[in-house]
Amino acid sequence: MRAGGGDWPSWMRGQAQRAHQPQLQAFYQTFSLTAEQPISETPLVALDLETSGLDPARSAILSIGLIPFDLQRIHLGERRAWVLRPPSGFSGESIPYHHITHSDTQEAPDFADVLPELLDCLAGHLAVVHYHPIERAFLGRAVQQRFKEPLRFPLIDTMDLEARRYRRGWRTRMRAIFGQTPVSIRLGDSRSRYHLPLYEGHQAALDALATAELLQAQIQHHYSPSTAIGQLWI
Amino acid sequence: MDPELLGIRRHLSDFPPFDGLSDEHLDAITEQIEVSYYRAGSHILAAGDSIDALYYVRSGAVEIYRRSGDLYDRLSEGGIFGQYGLLRGRRTQYPAIALEDTLLYLIPADLFDQLCEEDTDFADFVELGRTRPEASQPVSQRSQDMLTTRVRRLVARPPLIAEATETAQAVAQRIAGEPLAAVLVVEAEGDDPRYTYADTDGALWQVRGILTDADFRSRVVAEGRDSQTPVGEIVTDHLVAVQSDETVQEAMLIMLRHNIHHLAVIHRRRPIGVIRLEDVVRYETQSSLYLMDSIFSQDSVRGLATLLPDVRASAVRMIREGADSKTMSTALSAVGRSFTRRLIELAEADLGPPPVPYAFMAMGSMARNEQTLVTDQDNALVLDDRFDPSAHDEYFLALAQRVSDGLDACGYAHCKGDIMATNPQWRQPLGVWKQTFQSWIEAPNPERLLHSNIFFDLDNVYGEERLVEQLQERVATQAGKSPAFLAAMARNALNRTPPIGFFRDFVMEKDGRHNNSINVKRRGTAPLTDLIRIHALACGSRAQNSFERLNDIAETQLLGPGVPENLRFALEVLSFTRLEHQAIDIEQEREPDNNIEPENVPDKQRAELKEAFRALSHAQKFLRFRYPMPTARRSTSRRAG
C-alpha cells in the first residue's frame, strides 16, 4: 500500500519525471511538502468521494467534494463540489446513501472535465480523507482509464489515525481479551468521540467538512501543531 | 444554496438572532462560514487579539471572561460571542476559553458588518440588547387554560330559579335530588340594574342571591324558621356573580375573595348558571381541590402546617402539567390567602368577635397574586376609625400574633423587615393609614419609598373590604399625580439591575455559595415588578397583578408600541423560570430558592431568559430616561460603578 515506502517527496519527484500527461506532470512538479514540516504549517485539503459502489473495477465516482483548511480554520466558502457522469451509468443500489440520482448525473461532466480543477485544488496541499482506500483506488483508476497512467499522492487518513489509537496495540488486545467489540472508527462514531456534532453523512462536501473537523480534533487531542506530517501521511 | 449545507443552515436558524434573518442572509452565512474545533480547556480568543469573525457555538460550551479574570458568561449551543470586539476596533474585548470540546462556526467580519447594516433586528441584537417578542414562541406555546378559558365553559346546566315569594319548603323540595344544590332567588321588582333581566315572556326580574343546601340547614332548620317562610326572607341581599366571559381564574379569585363556594354566572344580565368552587378547582388541577378543602377543614395551626408538603407537591404537579406562571402564582396566592383566612377564623373563634370592624390586608406578592414557593409574609391590619387603642388593641395584637406565627409555621416566614400586623406601626385605624400613605407620596424618603414599594400592592384577605378599598383608591388617585414621588420610585427601581453585560450575556453572582448562579427574583422579577408598578401608578391603574397592570399600561401610549408585550414576555419567562427552578428544587429534595444556575437551563430557555433580562434592561433604560437622576454626583458614581 505504501507507495514510495513513506518517502513521498522522492516518489513524487520520480513521478514528475515519469508522468506523460502534462497536467499530471505539473501536479507532481509543484509538490513541495517535506516529511519534516509541522502539520500546523501545512496547507490541507479535505477530500471526499461518493461512489456508486465499493469495487473500483465496477463502480464509478458520482461526486467529489473538497474543502481547503488548516489547523485553525476550515474554509467552507472555498469548498468545491462536483457531481460526475459515470462512464457507463451506475446501478441504483447506492442511491439511498448519497441521494445522487441518475437524472442528477445525466447532465454532469465527465471526470476528465473536472480533473484539471481537481488537481489545481490539490496542488500544494496535503489531502485528508476518511478511509483512504476508496479515494486512492477510485481516483487512481479514473486517471488510469483516461490517461493510461496512475495518480497517487500522500494522504492523511483520519480513520487510520483512529485505528492507530483504537485498533492497534494493547487497547485492542485488552478489549479482545475481555470479549468486547472493537471501537468503531467510522466517520460518525469517530467524530462523536471528540464531541463533534452529528452531520448527515454521504454527501461529498459535508463529509469533507466532517473529515476536516475530525482531523482538527485529532491533532488537538493526540498530536500537536508541531507534529511532522511524515508521521501522519500514508 | 448547496443542499448539502442545509443542516448547518437549519442549525443557525434555530437560534437568535439568526432565526429572524431572511433566507438570503442565512444562505450567505452558511456559504461563507469558517469552522474551527477547540479542545476543552484551550484558549479561543485572548484579550487584545485581533478578531475577524463572529463566533457561533455549534456544539460544546465556551466561557467568556472579563479582562479582570471574572467569569462573564457561559455559552452553549447556539450562543454567539465576539460581537463586541467586532464593533469596537476589531480587537477582542473578552477572552474566550473552550469549557468543553467545542466546534465553532465563524461568520466573517465583512458579512457581519453587512448583516448589521441590512437587518436592524440583527444589529439591535448584537448592539443594543433589544428584545424581540417573536422569540417568545416557546413560552406562548405553554398552556394558558386558566387564563383564557371562559367561565361559561364550566356551566353545565341552566340555574334553578325560585321566586322570592316561594316557600322554603317548596324550594327545598325542588332542589332535593338536583346535583347542584343551589338555587337563584329572583324577584319581580328590584333596584339593581346590574342583575335585572327580561325572561322569555318579557317580564323583568332581578337576581337577589343564591340559596344553597347549607343555607337551608343553617338559616332555616338551625334557626328554627317556619318551613313556609318565603325564600326572599332567607336569602342574603348580597349577590356575588361573575360575567360569563370572565376567565375561570377570575371566578376562582372572586370566590376566594368573598369566601363563598357558589357563584352565579351572568351573561349580559341574565343568569345562565351557578358554578361551585369545586368545579373551578377541579378544572385547575385535581390535586388542588383536596388542598383547598383540607385547608378549610383544619382546626389547628399544627394541622395547617402539615399541609406544606401538599402545597409543594401540588405546585410541582402544576408546572409539570404545563401551567404558565400566572396560573401557578395565582394558585399559590390563593393557597396563601386560604391559609391566612383559616388562621384568622381560628383566631376569632378563640378570641371572640372583634371589638370593631377591621380588614386583614396583604401586601406584596400575595396582593399581586404573584406568590411562589419561596415567600415571606407582608401583612397589616386596617381598623375601623372607632378603634380605641387602650380598649381594643390587646385583641388585635393577639389576633395578629396568631396569624403571623401560624403563617410562619405553614411555610410563610416572618417578614424580616417586620412588615406584619404584629408591629403596632402596621396596625392602625383607616384615618391614620390614609395620612401615612399621603405623607409617603408627598414627602418620599428612602424608608418611605421602601414602604411604598411594599404597601402600594395591597389587597384585602379577610374582613371589611371597604377599608382596604379606600386605601387602594387613594394610592391609585394620588400617586400618579405626584411626579416627584414617581421619580423617587423610579430611582429606587433602578437600584437592582438585570444580570447581563454589554450585550446579551449573563453576569453571574459572586456571592460565595451561589457561585455561577443568578438570583432571578432580586435581579429579575423584583426589579421588573417595581418598574411595572411605577408605570401602572403613572397611568392611574387600580390593578394589583403585574400582568393586569401591563394590560392597563398597554391601553395608554405611555411605553410606545410593542413595549408592554416585551415586558409581558419578560415577566412570563422570568416568573416561569423561577417557579420551575423551585419545583425542580423540591423534586430533588432541596429547599427551594431563587438562585438559578443558567448552565442547568436548557439552551432554548436560556436564550429566552437572556431575551427577558435584555427586555428588563431596556425598560430600565427607558425609566432612567423618563425620570432622570436629579444630581450629578449620582450619575458619576453610576458611571464609575
Side-chain angles (χ1 to χ4, degrees):
Chain A
M1 283 302 288
R2 295 208 172 194
D7 184 4
W8 281 105
S10 55
W11 194 83
M12 296 293 274
R13 272 195 303 277
Q15 281 303 101
Q17 285 159 11
R18 286 188 287 274
H20 300 295
Q21 215 280 337
Q23 292 167 29
L24 296 176
Q25 213 171 37
F27 172 71
Y28 289 120
Q29 277 166 358
T30 52
F31 184 82
S32 59
L33 306 177
T34 65
E36 297 75 30
Q37 76 183 74
I39 180 86
S40 61
E41 290 168 19
T42 306
L44 305 167
V45 60
L47 173 67
D48 185 76
L49 305 184
E50 294 300 320
T51 57
S52 61
L54 294 179
D55 177 2
R58 291 191 299 154
S59 315
I61 302 172
L62 296 181
S63 69
I64 304 174
L66 49 80
I67 304 178
F69 74 111
D70 55 42
L71 287 192
Q72 271 76 49
R73 297 205 185 166
I74 301 160
H75 309 286
L76 198 57
E78 294 169 32
R79 75 189 181 283
R80 296 305 312 267
W82 299 276
V83 170
L84 299 180
R85 186 177 70 243
S88 50
F90 64 105
S91 75
E93 63 197 39
S94 62
I95 291 174
Y97 295 101
H98 47 63
H99 299 289
I100 296 169
T101 62
H102 294 92
S103 62
D104 288 334
T105 61
Q106 268 164 15
E107 304 294 312
D110 180 69
F111 177 77
D113 302 330
V114 305
L115 183 64
E117 229 180 317
L118 176 65
L119 291 174
D120 235 27
C121 294
L122 292 171
H125 293 72
L126 177 55
V128 180
V129 302
H130 194 80
Y131 190 54
H132 71 282
I134 290 280
E135 274 73 14
R136 199 159 263 171
F138 275 85
L139 284 179
R141 190 177 169 83
V143 171
Q144 182 78 43
Q145 277 181 338
R146 289 162 182 83
F147 301 115
K148 310 301 172 203
E149 53 181 301
L151 173 68
R152 211 168 167 80
F153 49 87
L155 292 165
I156 291 179
D157 182 352
T158 51
M159 183 190 259
D160 176 65
L161 297 185
E162 284 300 281
R164 291 185 198 181
R165 186 163 180 81
Y166 294 104
R167 283 286 171 83
R168 293 170 204 159
W170 63 270
R171 281 191 192 81
T172 310
R173 287 198 297 278
M174 292 297 283
R175 288 182 74 89
I177 288 165
F178 290 107
Q180 292 168 346
T181 50
V183 172
S184 167
I185 52 178
R186 291 186 316 167
L187 182 56
D189 296 319
S190 298
R191 284 169 58 83
S192 67
R193 273 194 289 283
Y194 301 91
H195 306 107
L196 284 162
L198 198 68
Y199 286 157
E200 271 180 62
H202 298 292
Q203 305 183 77
L206 203 56
D207 276 354
L209 173 65
T211 303
E213 292 172 3
L214 178 57
L215 184 73
Q216 284 191 341
Q218 288 170 327
I219 299 296
Q220 290 196 37
H221 281 265
H222 310 308
Y223 300 90
S224 87
S226 60
T227 300
I229 56 174
Q231 290 181 39
L232 303 172
W233 70 24
I234 52 177
Chain B
M1 172 79 212
D2 185 342
E4 295 194 12
L5 303 184
L6 280 178
I8 292 171
R9 182 188 144 136
R10 198 178 308 122
H11 195 272
L12 284 159
S13 66
D14 264 352
F15 293 90
F18 308 102
D19 55 352
L21 289 179
S22 68
D23 284 350
E24 291 72 25
H25 282 152
L26 276 175
D27 286 351
I29 294 173
T30 312
E31 294 282 349
Q32 292 182 42
I33 55 167
E34 308 209 311
V35 183
S36 200
Y37 178 90
Y38 287 88
R39 186 185 176 179
S42 56
H43 288 253
I44 300 168
L45 288 169
D49 277 0
S50 72
I51 181 170
D52 63 356
L54 177 70
Y55 288 70
Y56 172 89
V57 182
R58 167 61 205 246
S59 64
V62 174
E63 285 189 335
I64 312 291
Y65 287 83
R66 293 181 184 283
R67 280 168 184 262
S68 63
D70 290 342
L71 181 64
Y72 179 80
D73 192 13
R74 188 171 285 162
L75 299 166
S76 55
E77 197 177 342
I80 58 171
F81 61 99
Q83 66 271 47
Y84 188 57
L86 285 176
L87 293 164
R88 305 285 159 91
R90 301 277 205 259
R91 292 272 158 207
T92 299
Q93 304 292 324
Y94 295 101
I97 292 173
L99 180 65
E100 299 167 3
D101 291 341
T102 295
L103 190 71
L104 299 171
Y105 291 164
L106 284 62
I107 297 160
D110 290 349
L111 181 54
F112 173 83
D113 291 344
Q114 189 194 336
L115 291 169
C116 288
E117 216 166 275
E118 295 175 4
D119 189 302
T120 47
D121 282 345
F122 183 89
D124 287 347
F125 191 92
V126 297
E127 285 169 19
L128 298 174
R130 202 193 70 185
T131 187
R132 294 165 310 117
E134 63 267 27
S136 70
Q137 193 55 27
V139 170
S140 59
Q141 281 166 359
R142 282 201 276 272
S143 150
Q144 303 209 346
D145 270 2
M146 280 277 282
L147 281 181
T148 53
T149 304
R150 308 293 176 191
V151 72
R152 59 174 164 261
R153 278 229 3 229
L154 299 189
V155 175
R157 57 184 66 78
L160 296 168
I161 290 181
E163 285 184 47
T165 52
E166 289 184 61
T167 66
Q169 183 177 29
V171 174
Q173 280 165 357
R174 280 178 55 195
I175 69 173
E178 290 283 341
L180 194 65
V183 61
L184 289 179
V185 177
V186 300
E187 61 186 0
E189 283 167 27
D191 48 14
D192 192 338
R194 285 180 304 165
Y195 303 128
T196 303
Y197 69 100
D199 69 14
T200 44
D201 298 330
L204 286 178
W205 297 96
Q206 180 189 321
V207 186
R208 287 239 347 249
I210 295 182
L211 272 185
T212 65
D213 57 352
D215 293 325
F216 283 98
R217 259 181 278 127
S218 61
R219 297 196 169 167
V220 181
V221 181
E223 290 182 11
R225 288 189 206 236
D226 190 317
S227 63
Q228 299 306 304
T229 311
V231 287
E233 289 179 25
I234 300 165
V235 72
T236 47
D237 245 355
H238 185 58
L239 179 72
V240 182
V242 63
Q243 289 295 323
S244 62
D245 60 351
E246 283 287 1
T247 60
V248 172
Q249 174 175 266
E250 182 62 24
M252 179 175 82
L253 287 178
I254 290 172
M255 289 193 216
L256 291 166
R257 198 176 299 139
H258 294 275
N259 194 20
I260 53 175
H261 293 82
H262 293 80
L263 191 59
V265 181
I266 308 285
H267 177 63
R268 306 248 164 91
R269 284 177 290 175
R270 178 190 306 276
I272 62 164
V274 173
I275 56 169
R276 298 169 304 167
L277 182 61
E278 290 94 309
D279 300 328
V280 174
V281 179
R282 181 175 298 130
Y283 183 82
E284 179 204 329
T285 62
Q286 191 65 32
S287 56
S288 308
L289 169 69
Y290 301 116
L291 190 58
M292 294 292 185
D293 265 2
S294 37
I295 288 174
F296 284 102
S297 64
Q298 296 298 324
D299 286 327
S300 68
V301 172
R302 184 179 298 177
L304 285 169
T306 59
L307 298 177
L308 182 61
D310 295 352
V311 173
R312 293 181 160 183
S314 159
V316 171
R317 203 148 35 222
M318 279 182 80
I319 211 149
R320 292 290 163 244
E321 285 168 3
D324 65 349
S325 81
K326 194 180 178 194
T327 308
M328 291 281 302
S329 46
T330 302
L332 285 168
S333 304
V335 168
R337 285 165 190 270
S338 301
F339 273 120
T340 311
R341 183 169 291 136
R342 185 64 189 152
L343 284 163
I344 297 171
E345 286 171 358
L346 291 173
E348 278 194 3
D350 251 20
L351 300 168
V356 293
Y358 73 98
F360 193 93
M361 172 166 91
M363 285 84 64
S365 62
M366 190 188 282
R368 294 194 309 272
N369 283 318
E370 290 171 18
Q371 289 208 305
T372 67
L373 288 157
V374 182
T375 185
D376 56 2
Q377 44 177 304
D378 291 307
N379 51 55
L381 279 172
V382 188
L383 308 164
D384 188 277
D385 279 330
R386 285 168 287 178
F387 172 70
D388 170 4
S390 58
H392 306 144
D393 198 42
E394 193 185 338
Y395 178 92
F396 289 111
L397 173 61
L399 181 105
Q401 198 70 56
R402 283 164 193 249
V403 175
S404 174
D405 292 348
L407 283 173
D408 186 60
C410 294
Y412 303 84
H414 284 125
C415 173
K416 289 182 205 73
D418 205 16
I419 311 276
M420 294 181 291
T422 47
N423 182 341
Q425 195 185 354
W426 310 132
R427 198 167 67 237
Q428 299 286 355
L430 179 64
V432 175
W433 275 113
K434 286 182 176 171
Q435 282 167 19
T436 307
F437 276 25
Q438 196 71 29
S439 68
W440 289 351
I441 293 169
E442 282 171 359
N445 62 30
E447 191 197 11
R448 289 171 173 184
L449 284 169
L450 186 68
H451 289 147
S452 303
N453 268 331
I454 298 167
F455 281 87
F456 287 7
D457 299 334
L458 72 166
D459 203 13
N460 185 37
V461 180
Y462 188 94
E464 298 288 321
E465 191 152 9
R466 61 181 174 86
L467 297 173
V468 177
E469 279 172 357
Q470 290 188 52
L471 290 177
Q472 287 174 330
E473 179 74 13
R474 176 149 301 223
V475 173
T477 53
Q478 300 297 312
K481 287 187 198 148
S482 170
F485 174 75
L486 290 178
M489 291 274 279
R491 284 197 293 283
N492 221 24
L494 293 170
N495 288 339
R496 292 184 283 199
T497 53
I500 49 168
F502 289 103
F503 293 101
R504 54 177 206 134
D505 302 332
F506 288 128
V507 179
M508 306 295 176
E509 309 278 344
K510 281 292 173 194
D511 53 354
R513 196 164 64 82
H514 293 305
N515 234 359
N516 290 336
S517 72
I518 291 171
N519 186 313
V520 72
K521 179 188 179 188
R522 194 170 68 220
R523 311 293 296 271
T525 52
L528 183 54
T529 307
D530 287 352
L531 184 140
I532 292 169
R533 180 187 308 107
I534 292 161
H535 293 313
L537 289 172
C539 64
S541 164
R542 280 163 170 71
Q544 301 290 324
N545 179 269
S546 295
F547 284 107
E548 284 159 23
R549 284 174 169 168
L550 280 172
N551 290 344
D552 290 350
I553 294 166
E555 281 179 17
T556 71
Q557 301 300 310
L558 190 65
L559 292 185
V563 180
E565 286 70 34
N566 285 349
L567 292 180
R568 195 188 317 280
F569 161 74
L571 185 61
E572 173 60 28
V573 170
L574 293 170
S575 309
F576 185 83
T577 304
R578 186 175 166 209
L579 285 160
E580 191 184 39
H581 167 78
Q582 293 175 359
I584 291 169
D585 276 345
I586 287 166
E587 280 181 321
Q588 302 184 352
E589 299 183 352
R590 288 191 300 261
E591 193 56 25
D593 63 23
N594 293 313
N595 293 294
I596 58 156
E597 297 84 31
E599 64 185 293
N600 294 336
V601 176
D603 292 334
K604 284 251 167 165
Q605 207 177 332
R606 269 167 58 96
E608 282 180 17
L609 202 53
K610 287 184 177 180
E611 291 279 332
F613 280 126
R614 278 164 16 101
L616 169 57
S617 178
H618 198 69
Q620 286 195 332
K621 279 182 203 147
F622 175 79
L623 197 67
R624 188 172 290 129
F625 160 78
R626 191 179 167 82
Y627 301 103
M629 301 292 162
T631 67
R633 191 186 56 79
R634 242 193 114 79
S635 61
T636 14
S637 71
R638 182 164 291 279
R639 197 178 298 266

